[in-house]
Amino acid sequence: MEATTMLPILKKKLAFLSGGKDRRSGLILTIPLSSDQTSMEELSTTLDYLLSIPSQKCKARGFTVIVDGRKSQWNIVKTVVLMLQNVIPAEVSLVCVVKPDEFWDKKVTHFCFWKEKDRLGFEVILVSANKLTRYIEPCQLTDDFGGSLDYDHNDWLNKRLVFEKFTRESTSLLDELTIINDGDKGSAVDKEKYACHELLSELQQRRFNGSEGGGAWCPMEEELLAQPQVMKLLDSLREQYTRYQELCRQRNKRTQLDEIHAKVMQVVTWLQGPGSELLKTQQAIGDSTRAAQALQQKHEEIESQHSEWFAVYVELNQQIAALLSAGEEEEVVELKALQQQLSDVCYQQAAHLEGRQHVLQAAQGFHGTTQELSQQLDGLLGMLCADVAPADGASIQQNLKLLEEKLQIVEAGLASLRQKGGLLMEQMCTQPPWPLEEAEESPAGEQQDSAQHVETVMEELQLRKQRCEDMVDVRRLKMLQMVQLFKCEEDALQSVEWLGELLDALLKTHVRLGDDSQESRTMLDKHRKFVDVAQSTYDYGRQLLQATVVLCQSLRCTTRSSGDTLPRLNRIWKQFSVSGEERQQRLELAMNFHTAAERVLQQECVDPEALDEVDSSGKTLLDRLTLPVIFPDGTEQYFGSPSDTAAAAEGVRERLLLVEERRLQLQELVETTTSPKENVPP
């Protein structure tokens, strides 16, 4: 009888062995009746199962049965007590019927269990729950009756299921091991070895762990759990399994060698066959980054396939190493030969995979640099083909700087391309060689084509870069000429401004004529130098404008400023020339006037005609000061302000007054010398 066949009934907890004992060390069997109708058939089945658990020695001490009728009816309690007579009359020592308070008193008088003791075969007492401790110690009672004994029915049921499963499986395993060890069943040994080992391990583990859920095995009593039976089964299993292991070891050693040999040959055959063919068909480097990436993806797929076989190699190597440490001499020689053959083939194939990976990485770098350099050359060419129409010299300088930077980037890109191209060809040339029997089939021609392709690409980009450099030289010359053109125009405009400033200074500040001949001569010399500066400025502007014309012709372009700069320069120069000539004539008149005036003023004897000449030149100079400068375009401009002109004229008038005084003095002297002669008598 097993718990699995009656699990639904046992779960109802119609009766249970809590593990408690009475004062005679007999087991306590508890029957908790409920308010629902209890099935006598299920209760009987439960009692039969529970009474099959203890040993005969334990049963001989008798049972104390507690019938908990507090929630049931009297007729059911009576039926249960009578049923005990039929189920376990010999094993029952005492039946304690736990009654409800003041409920059965009248009915009990109609049926007294103590009078039926001889017929029942055991003693029956009616007792309240709180007085049950008169017959059973509190520590042997569950908490339902005020005791302190812990009992979990579900836990007990789970442990029973585990124990019965253990007993069933261990007995089956023991029978099977006995048949295998005693009979000649080599194939059965190989087939059942792993299953037997696993089952034995599980049974031993289950021996110490009470349930499959992981709870600790805590037996209530060894009589209840049949622990000696468990230990006896385990000892028998260990003995049979030891014999079984030795038999397996003898047969497994040869089987392992055969399996390892077969697996080694399987790995070697694939690597030297399909694996090598896959690598030999993948020798191209592609003609673009996208093509190289597709080849890289294909190579990764090949690597993935090889990885599976390399994992087998690692596993085999570990197995061989383990066998070598415990193998016999003949086996060691065979295993070392297999290990060496496997390692040689795997390392050779791994070297080919690594070499191919390096080639593809170098190819991606080369194609990526090629694409980047081609884009840089396209950008540089687009910049060179665009028209140059900057607004000023600074813009040209900026464009020229940008052009030089792009050219430097292209040069750096070409240097990087050469370096990566050299690395790619070096990687292709240094790939590991194939074995002699495969050398004739190696795709050397495809590698030569790839190397030729790399050289062709580098030569084409070198030519493109050279053409761009030539165009850059032409553009650089043109831009430098444009810078010079703008500079000439700016300087020409500056010369016009300078000349205008000189003219303005001449007309506004060059008004004085000097107070004597020496000062007038000094001012005349300064004026001539001033005119020389203006002449140099004018000549410099003319030269710049001529250079502008030449640069425009060279650049085949027209400028915005040179058209009106030359007329402005000529107009201002003509105005300056007229003003400078007028200024020079006035200074010359002033110098001549002061020279003549000083001479007549210093001489004691003066010719009247000389005085007349001084007077005439002074008046002419005064008249000249009142006249404006008339420019070629008909416009007029006076020197300085009216006050400046009046100040200059005042100095001339003062000198004229001195000359006039000198004239009067001479007249008085003449009159004085002639008067006595006229008064002398004849």
Side-chain angles (χ1 to χ4, degrees), residues 640-679:
S641 62
S643 60
D644 295 335
T645 303
E650 184 63 27
V652 176
R653 290 191 181 92
E654 290 178 357
R655 184 56 64 95
L656 287 175
L657 289 176
L658 293 174
V659 172
E660 185 63 27
E661 290 178 358
R662 180 63 174 165
R663 182 192 297 276
L664 294 175
Q665 290 176 359
L666 290 175
Q667 288 179 356
E668 290 177 359
L669 181 60
V670 171
E671 291 177 356
T672 304
T673 55
T674 57
S675 296
K677 292 180 179 180
E678 292 177 356
N679 297 326

mmCIF file of all heavy atoms in Angstrom, residues 640-679:
data_model
loop_
_atom_site.group_PDB
_atom_site.id
_atom_site.type_symbol
_atom_site.label_atom_id
_atom_site.label_comp_id
_atom_site.label_asym_id
_atom_site.label_seq_id
_atom_site.Cartn_x
_atom_site.Cartn_y
_atom_site.Cartn_z
ATOM 1 N N GLY A 640 43.114 130.105 -48.099
ATOM 2 C CA GLY A 640 42.811 130.432 -46.724
ATOM 3 C C GLY A 640 41.512 131.186 -46.561
ATOM 4 O O GLY A 640 40.694 131.317 -47.485
ATOM 5 N N SER A 641 41.331 131.730 -45.361
ATOM 6 C CA SER A 641 40.134 132.500 -45.048
ATOM 7 C C SER A 641 40.399 133.975 -45.328
ATOM 8 O O SER A 641 41.547 134.401 -45.504
ATOM 9 C CB SER A 641 39.768 132.301 -43.573
ATOM 10 O OG SER A 641 40.817 132.776 -42.749
ATOM 11 N N PRO A 642 39.388 134.828 -45.380
ATOM 12 C CA PRO A 642 39.602 136.258 -45.600
ATOM 13 C C PRO A 642 40.521 136.877 -44.551
ATOM 14 O O PRO A 642 41.332 137.754 -44.865
ATOM 15 C CB PRO A 642 38.186 136.824 -45.520
ATOM 16 C CG PRO A 642 37.309 135.695 -45.943
ATOM 17 C CD PRO A 642 37.959 134.470 -45.428
ATOM 18 N N SER A 643 40.418 136.382 -43.315
ATOM 19 C CA SER A 643 41.290 136.942 -42.271
ATOM 20 C C SER A 643 42.738 136.571 -42.527
ATOM 21 O O SER A 643 43.651 137.386 -42.294
ATOM 22 C CB SER A 643 40.841 136.434 -40.901
ATOM 23 O OG SER A 643 40.909 135.022 -40.869
ATOM 24 N N ASP A 644 42.955 135.297 -43.011
ATOM 25 C CA ASP A 644 44.326 134.901 -43.329
ATOM 26 C C ASP A 644 44.872 135.756 -44.476
ATOM 27 O O ASP A 644 46.038 136.178 -44.458
ATOM 28 C CB ASP A 644 44.372 133.418 -43.707
ATOM 29 C CG ASP A 644 44.003 132.521 -42.537
ATOM 30 O OD1 ASP A 644 44.169 132.949 -41.385
ATOM 31 O OD2 ASP A 644 43.536 131.369 -42.779
ATOM 32 N N THR A 645 44.055 135.994 -45.493
ATOM 33 C CA THR A 645 44.483 136.826 -46.631
ATOM 34 C C THR A 645 44.763 138.260 -46.178
ATOM 35 O O THR A 645 45.745 138.897 -46.602
ATOM 36 C CB THR A 645 43.402 136.819 -47.727
ATOM 37 O OG1 THR A 645 43.147 135.455 -48.108
ATOM 38 C CG2 THR A 645 43.841 137.609 -48.931
ATOM 39 N N ALA A 646 43.921 138.806 -45.310
ATOM 40 C CA ALA A 646 44.120 140.170 -44.806
ATOM 41 C C ALA A 646 45.406 140.275 -44.009
ATOM 42 O O ALA A 646 46.142 141.285 -44.099
ATOM 43 C CB ALA A 646 42.928 140.574 -43.946
ATOM 44 N N ALA A 647 45.712 139.228 -43.229
ATOM 45 C CA ALA A 647 46.951 139.242 -42.443
ATOM 46 C C ALA A 647 48.167 139.248 -43.357
ATOM 47 O O ALA A 647 49.160 139.945 -43.106
ATOM 48 C CB ALA A 647 46.976 138.021 -41.524
ATOM 49 N N ALA A 648 48.097 138.413 -44.433
ATOM 50 C CA ALA A 648 49.216 138.380 -45.369
ATOM 51 C C ALA A 648 49.371 139.736 -46.073
ATOM 52 O O ALA A 648 50.490 140.239 -46.284
ATOM 53 C CB ALA A 648 49.007 137.253 -46.388
ATOM 54 N N ALA A 649 48.240 140.385 -46.437
ATOM 55 C CA ALA A 649 48.289 141.680 -47.130
ATOM 56 C C ALA A 649 48.778 142.791 -46.192
ATOM 57 O O ALA A 649 49.431 143.760 -46.627
ATOM 58 C CB ALA A 649 46.914 142.018 -47.685
ATOM 59 N N GLU A 650 48.499 142.657 -44.923
ATOM 60 C CA GLU A 650 48.903 143.668 -43.959
ATOM 61 C C GLU A 650 50.420 143.802 -43.904
ATOM 62 O O GLU A 650 50.985 144.897 -43.797
ATOM 63 C CB GLU A 650 48.350 143.312 -42.576
ATOM 64 C CG GLU A 650 48.628 144.354 -41.509
ATOM 65 C CD GLU A 650 47.943 145.698 -41.834
ATOM 66 O OE1 GLU A 650 46.894 145.673 -42.536
ATOM 67 O OE2 GLU A 650 48.426 146.746 -41.388
ATOM 68 N N GLY A 651 51.110 142.655 -43.990
ATOM 69 C CA GLY A 651 52.575 142.717 -43.980
ATOM 70 C C GLY A 651 53.121 143.438 -45.195
ATOM 71 O O GLY A 651 54.102 144.196 -45.112
ATOM 72 N N VAL A 652 52.467 143.242 -46.330
ATOM 73 C CA VAL A 652 52.895 143.936 -47.561
ATOM 74 C C VAL A 652 52.629 145.441 -47.424
ATOM 75 O O VAL A 652 53.478 146.276 -47.803
ATOM 76 C CB VAL A 652 52.170 143.344 -48.778
ATOM 77 C CG1 VAL A 652 52.533 144.120 -50.038
ATOM 78 C CG2 VAL A 652 52.531 141.861 -48.939
ATOM 79 N N ARG A 653 51.519 145.822 -46.903
ATOM 80 C CA ARG A 653 51.179 147.237 -46.771
ATOM 81 C C ARG A 653 52.151 147.935 -45.820
ATOM 82 O O ARG A 653 52.546 149.100 -46.036
ATOM 83 C CB ARG A 653 49.743 147.389 -46.267
ATOM 84 C CG ARG A 653 48.687 146.979 -47.301
ATOM 85 C CD ARG A 653 47.300 147.415 -46.840
ATOM 86 N NE ARG A 653 46.284 147.013 -47.792
ATOM 87 C CZ ARG A 653 45.600 145.883 -47.751
ATOM 88 N NH1 ARG A 653 45.834 145.043 -46.737
ATOM 89 N NH2 ARG A 653 44.719 145.602 -48.668
ATOM 90 N N GLU A 654 52.482 147.233 -44.718
ATOM 91 C CA GLU A 654 53.433 147.857 -43.796
ATOM 92 C C GLU A 654 54.766 148.130 -44.487
ATOM 93 O O GLU A 654 55.415 149.174 -44.274
ATOM 94 C CB GLU A 654 53.637 146.922 -42.593
ATOM 95 C CG GLU A 654 52.429 146.834 -41.686
ATOM 96 C CD GLU A 654 52.675 145.872 -40.544
ATOM 97 O OE1 GLU A 654 53.749 145.253 -40.522
ATOM 98 O OE2 GLU A 654 51.780 145.743 -39.673
ATOM 99 N N ARG A 655 55.196 147.186 -45.301
ATOM 100 C CA ARG A 655 56.458 147.418 -46.008
ATOM 101 C C ARG A 655 56.296 148.567 -47.018
ATOM 102 O O ARG A 655 57.216 149.390 -47.209
ATOM 103 C CB ARG A 655 56.872 146.110 -46.705
ATOM 104 C CG ARG A 655 58.226 146.177 -47.404
ATOM 105 C CD ARG A 655 59.338 146.616 -46.425
ATOM 106 N NE ARG A 655 59.544 145.659 -45.363
ATOM 107 C CZ ARG A 655 60.466 144.695 -45.408
ATOM 108 N NH1 ARG A 655 61.245 144.600 -46.467
ATOM 109 N NH2 ARG A 655 60.615 143.888 -44.400
ATOM 110 N N LEU A 656 55.136 148.649 -47.644
ATOM 111 C CA LEU A 656 54.894 149.762 -48.576
ATOM 112 C C LEU A 656 54.910 151.112 -47.838
ATOM 113 O O LEU A 656 55.382 152.131 -48.374
ATOM 114 C CB LEU A 656 53.551 149.562 -49.302
ATOM 115 C CG LEU A 656 53.525 148.471 -50.382
ATOM 116 C CD1 LEU A 656 52.120 148.302 -50.933
ATOM 117 C CD2 LEU A 656 54.498 148.838 -51.523
ATOM 118 N N LEU A 657 54.395 151.145 -46.629
ATOM 119 C CA LEU A 657 54.419 152.382 -45.850
ATOM 120 C C LEU A 657 55.847 152.799 -45.548
ATOM 121 O O LEU A 657 56.204 153.995 -45.590
ATOM 122 C CB LEU A 657 53.635 152.189 -44.542
ATOM 123 C CG LEU A 657 52.116 152.080 -44.692
ATOM 124 C CD1 LEU A 657 51.467 151.787 -43.350
ATOM 125 C CD2 LEU A 657 51.541 153.377 -45.284
ATOM 126 N N LEU A 658 56.688 151.808 -45.240
ATOM 127 C CA LEU A 658 58.092 152.127 -44.995
ATOM 128 C C LEU A 658 58.755 152.683 -46.254
ATOM 129 O O LEU A 658 59.574 153.635 -46.199
ATOM 130 C CB LEU A 658 58.840 150.875 -44.511
ATOM 131 C CG LEU A 658 58.435 150.344 -43.133
ATOM 132 C CD1 LEU A 658 59.160 149.024 -42.858
ATOM 133 C CD2 LEU A 658 58.749 151.365 -42.062
ATOM 134 N N VAL A 659 58.418 152.102 -47.362
ATOM 135 C CA VAL A 659 58.981 152.599 -48.636
ATOM 136 C C VAL A 659 58.489 154.020 -48.899
ATOM 137 O O VAL A 659 59.256 154.904 -49.367
ATOM 138 C CB VAL A 659 58.601 151.645 -49.791
ATOM 139 C CG1 VAL A 659 59.008 152.251 -51.140
ATOM 140 C CG2 VAL A 659 59.269 150.290 -49.588
ATOM 141 N N GLU A 660 57.230 154.255 -48.607
ATOM 142 C CA GLU A 660 56.681 155.593 -48.828
ATOM 143 C C GLU A 660 57.351 156.612 -47.902
ATOM 144 O O GLU A 660 57.642 157.768 -48.301
ATOM 145 C CB GLU A 660 55.164 155.571 -48.590
ATOM 146 C CG GLU A 660 54.466 156.895 -48.924
ATOM 147 C CD GLU A 660 54.598 157.243 -50.409
ATOM 148 O OE1 GLU A 660 54.733 156.279 -51.239
ATOM 149 O OE2 GLU A 660 54.564 158.426 -50.763
ATOM 150 N N GLU A 661 57.615 156.219 -46.677
ATOM 151 C CA GLU A 661 58.327 157.112 -45.755
ATOM 152 C C GLU A 661 59.724 157.404 -46.291
ATOM 153 O O GLU A 661 60.240 158.535 -46.176
ATOM 154 C CB GLU A 661 58.409 156.462 -44.370
ATOM 155 C CG GLU A 661 57.077 156.384 -43.651
ATOM 156 C CD GLU A 661 57.206 155.691 -42.321
ATOM 157 O OE1 GLU A 661 58.329 155.243 -41.985
ATOM 158 O OE2 GLU A 661 56.178 155.564 -41.609
ATOM 159 N N ARG A 662 60.320 156.347 -46.850
ATOM 160 C CA ARG A 662 61.660 156.550 -47.426
ATOM 161 C C ARG A 662 61.596 157.545 -48.589
ATOM 162 O O ARG A 662 62.495 158.408 -48.768
ATOM 163 C CB ARG A 662 62.218 155.198 -47.911
ATOM 164 C CG ARG A 662 63.602 155.290 -48.533
ATOM 165 C CD ARG A 662 64.630 155.754 -47.528
ATOM 166 N NE ARG A 662 65.960 155.709 -48.086
ATOM 167 C CZ ARG A 662 67.028 156.305 -47.584
ATOM 168 N NH1 ARG A 662 66.883 157.036 -46.464
ATOM 169 N NH2 ARG A 662 68.222 156.205 -48.153
ATOM 170 N N ARG A 663 60.555 157.471 -49.340
ATOM 171 C CA ARG A 663 60.390 158.408 -50.459
ATOM 172 C C ARG A 663 60.274 159.843 -49.930
ATOM 173 O O ARG A 663 60.893 160.785 -50.480
ATOM 174 C CB ARG A 663 59.138 158.026 -51.272
ATOM 175 C CG ARG A 663 58.911 158.930 -52.516
ATOM 176 C CD ARG A 663 57.531 158.686 -53.077
ATOM 177 N NE ARG A 663 57.382 157.319 -53.532
ATOM 178 C CZ ARG A 663 57.771 156.882 -54.737
ATOM 179 N NH1 ARG A 663 58.314 157.716 -55.590
ATOM 180 N NH2 ARG A 663 57.592 155.623 -55.082
ATOM 181 N N LEU A 664 59.506 160.025 -48.888
ATOM 182 C CA LEU A 664 59.326 161.365 -48.331
ATOM 183 C C LEU A 664 60.638 161.908 -47.763
ATOM 184 O O LEU A 664 60.966 163.110 -47.889
ATOM 185 C CB LEU A 664 58.246 161.336 -47.238
ATOM 186 C CG LEU A 664 56.813 161.015 -47.721
ATOM 187 C CD1 LEU A 664 55.863 160.906 -46.547
ATOM 188 C CD2 LEU A 664 56.341 162.111 -48.686
ATOM 189 N N GLN A 665 61.374 161.018 -47.121
ATOM 190 C CA GLN A 665 62.671 161.453 -46.581
ATOM 191 C C GLN A 665 63.588 161.929 -47.704
ATOM 192 O O GLN A 665 64.304 162.933 -47.573
ATOM 193 C CB GLN A 665 63.334 160.305 -45.811
ATOM 194 C CG GLN A 665 62.635 159.961 -44.518
ATOM 195 C CD GLN A 665 63.266 158.760 -43.845
ATOM 196 O OE1 GLN A 665 64.218 158.180 -44.380
ATOM 197 N NE2 GLN A 665 62.710 158.414 -42.669
ATOM 198 N N LEU A 666 63.593 161.189 -48.770
ATOM 199 C CA LEU A 666 64.447 161.582 -49.899
ATOM 200 C C LEU A 666 63.985 162.911 -50.487
ATOM 201 O O LEU A 666 64.810 163.769 -50.876
ATOM 202 C CB LEU A 666 64.434 160.479 -50.965
ATOM 203 C CG LEU A 666 65.158 159.169 -50.574
ATOM 204 C CD1 LEU A 666 64.963 158.123 -51.655
ATOM 205 C CD2 LEU A 666 66.636 159.434 -50.349
ATOM 206 N N GLN A 667 62.722 163.131 -50.571
ATOM 207 C CA GLN A 667 62.209 164.391 -51.117
ATOM 208 C C GLN A 667 62.600 165.565 -50.211
ATOM 209 O O GLN A 667 63.000 166.647 -50.688
ATOM 210 C CB GLN A 667 60.675 164.307 -51.251
ATOM 211 C CG GLN A 667 60.231 163.404 -52.382
ATOM 212 C CD GLN A 667 58.712 163.324 -52.472
ATOM 213 O OE1 GLN A 667 58.003 163.891 -51.633
ATOM 214 N NE2 GLN A 667 58.235 162.658 -53.517
ATOM 215 N N GLU A 668 62.497 165.357 -48.893
ATOM 216 C CA GLU A 668 62.864 166.426 -47.962
ATOM 217 C C GLU A 668 64.356 166.740 -48.064
ATOM 218 O O GLU A 668 64.801 167.887 -47.983
ATOM 219 C CB GLU A 668 62.516 166.002 -46.525
ATOM 220 C CG GLU A 668 61.027 165.945 -46.267
ATOM 221 C CD GLU A 668 60.738 165.456 -44.874
ATOM 222 O OE1 GLU A 668 61.701 165.140 -44.137
ATOM 223 O OE2 GLU A 668 59.532 165.376 -44.499
ATOM 224 N N LEU A 669 65.119 165.672 -48.217
ATOM 225 C CA LEU A 669 66.567 165.885 -48.336
ATOM 226 C C LEU A 669 66.903 166.662 -49.607
ATOM 227 O O LEU A 669 67.753 167.562 -49.610
ATOM 228 C CB LEU A 669 67.283 164.520 -48.336
ATOM 229 C CG LEU A 669 68.805 164.566 -48.440
ATOM 230 C CD1 LEU A 669 69.412 165.343 -47.254
ATOM 231 C CD2 LEU A 669 69.389 163.160 -48.513
ATOM 232 N N VAL A 670 66.219 166.346 -50.661
ATOM 233 C CA VAL A 670 66.451 167.051 -51.924
ATOM 234 C C VAL A 670 66.039 168.512 -51.766
ATOM 235 O O VAL A 670 66.742 169.441 -52.226
ATOM 236 C CB VAL A 670 65.681 166.358 -53.067
ATOM 237 C CG1 VAL A 670 65.732 167.211 -54.337
ATOM 238 C CG2 VAL A 670 66.268 164.997 -53.331
ATOM 239 N N GLU A 671 64.941 168.729 -51.175
ATOM 240 C CA GLU A 671 64.471 170.088 -51.005
ATOM 241 C C GLU A 671 65.428 170.887 -50.118
ATOM 242 O O GLU A 671 65.680 172.072 -50.323
ATOM 243 C CB GLU A 671 63.054 170.074 -50.386
ATOM 244 C CG GLU A 671 62.008 169.539 -51.350
ATOM 245 C CD GLU A 671 60.646 169.460 -50.694
ATOM 246 O OE1 GLU A 671 60.527 169.752 -49.475
ATOM 247 O OE2 GLU A 671 59.661 169.083 -51.394
ATOM 248 N N THR A 672 65.950 170.240 -49.140
ATOM 249 C CA THR A 672 66.868 170.918 -48.227
ATOM 250 C C THR A 672 68.152 171.323 -48.944
ATOM 251 O O THR A 672 68.705 172.420 -48.752
ATOM 252 C CB THR A 672 67.195 170.018 -47.034
ATOM 253 O OG1 THR A 672 65.980 169.622 -46.401
ATOM 254 C CG2 THR A 672 68.101 170.719 -46.047
ATOM 255 N N THR A 673 68.621 170.473 -49.752
ATOM 256 C CA THR A 673 69.877 170.741 -50.460
ATOM 257 C C THR A 673 69.699 171.779 -51.566
ATOM 258 O O THR A 673 70.628 172.513 -51.919
ATOM 259 C CB THR A 673 70.439 169.445 -51.064
ATOM 260 O OG1 THR A 673 69.445 168.836 -51.907
ATOM 261 C CG2 THR A 673 70.824 168.469 -49.957
ATOM 262 N N THR A 674 68.558 171.964 -52.097
ATOM 263 C CA THR A 674 68.332 172.887 -53.200
ATOM 264 C C THR A 674 67.879 174.253 -52.712
ATOM 265 O O THR A 674 68.031 175.270 -53.387
ATOM 266 C CB THR A 674 67.277 172.323 -54.174
ATOM 267 O OG1 THR A 674 66.065 172.053 -53.459
ATOM 268 C CG2 THR A 674 67.788 171.053 -54.812
ATOM 269 N N SER A 675 67.328 174.412 -51.562
ATOM 270 C CA SER A 675 66.786 175.689 -51.069
ATOM 271 C C SER A 675 67.872 176.748 -50.859
ATOM 272 O O SER A 675 67.754 177.907 -51.278
ATOM 273 C CB SER A 675 65.999 175.469 -49.756
ATOM 274 O OG SER A 675 64.878 174.660 -50.014
ATOM 275 N N PRO A 676 69.024 176.646 -50.248
ATOM 276 C CA PRO A 676 70.047 177.707 -50.074
ATOM 277 C C PRO A 676 70.536 178.234 -51.398
ATOM 278 O O PRO A 676 70.840 179.393 -51.548
ATOM 279 C CB PRO A 676 71.143 176.992 -49.307
ATOM 280 C CG PRO A 676 70.431 175.872 -48.600
ATOM 281 C CD PRO A 676 69.357 175.483 -49.483
ATOM 282 N N LYS A 677 70.667 177.416 -52.340
ATOM 283 C CA LYS A 677 71.154 177.877 -53.652
ATOM 284 C C LYS A 677 70.174 178.851 -54.253
ATOM 285 O O LYS A 677 70.541 179.804 -54.942
ATOM 286 C CB LYS A 677 71.356 176.712 -54.593
ATOM 287 C CG LYS A 677 72.527 175.821 -54.148
ATOM 288 C CD LYS A 677 72.688 174.661 -55.117
ATOM 289 C CE LYS A 677 73.856 173.786 -54.724
ATOM 290 N NZ LYS A 677 74.039 172.663 -55.640
ATOM 291 N N GLU A 678 68.913 178.595 -54.017
ATOM 292 C CA GLU A 678 67.928 179.492 -54.599
ATOM 293 C C GLU A 678 67.934 180.858 -53.884
ATOM 294 O O GLU A 678 67.608 181.893 -54.451
ATOM 295 C CB GLU A 678 66.530 178.855 -54.502
ATOM 296 C CG GLU A 678 66.383 177.615 -55.403
ATOM 297 C CD GLU A 678 65.039 176.978 -55.240
ATOM 298 O OE1 GLU A 678 64.267 177.440 -54.400
ATOM 299 O OE2 GLU A 678 64.722 176.003 -55.986
ATOM 300 N N ASN A 679 68.354 180.912 -52.550
ATOM 301 C CA ASN A 679 68.332 182.165 -51.807
ATOM 302 C C ASN A 679 69.631 182.980 -51.939
ATOM 303 O O ASN A 679 69.745 184.108 -51.450
ATOM 304 C CB ASN A 679 68.056 181.876 -50.311
ATOM 305 C CG ASN A 679 66.659 181.244 -50.128
ATOM 306 O OD1 ASN A 679 65.758 181.611 -50.891
ATOM 307 N ND2 ASN A 679 66.550 180.439 -49.127
#
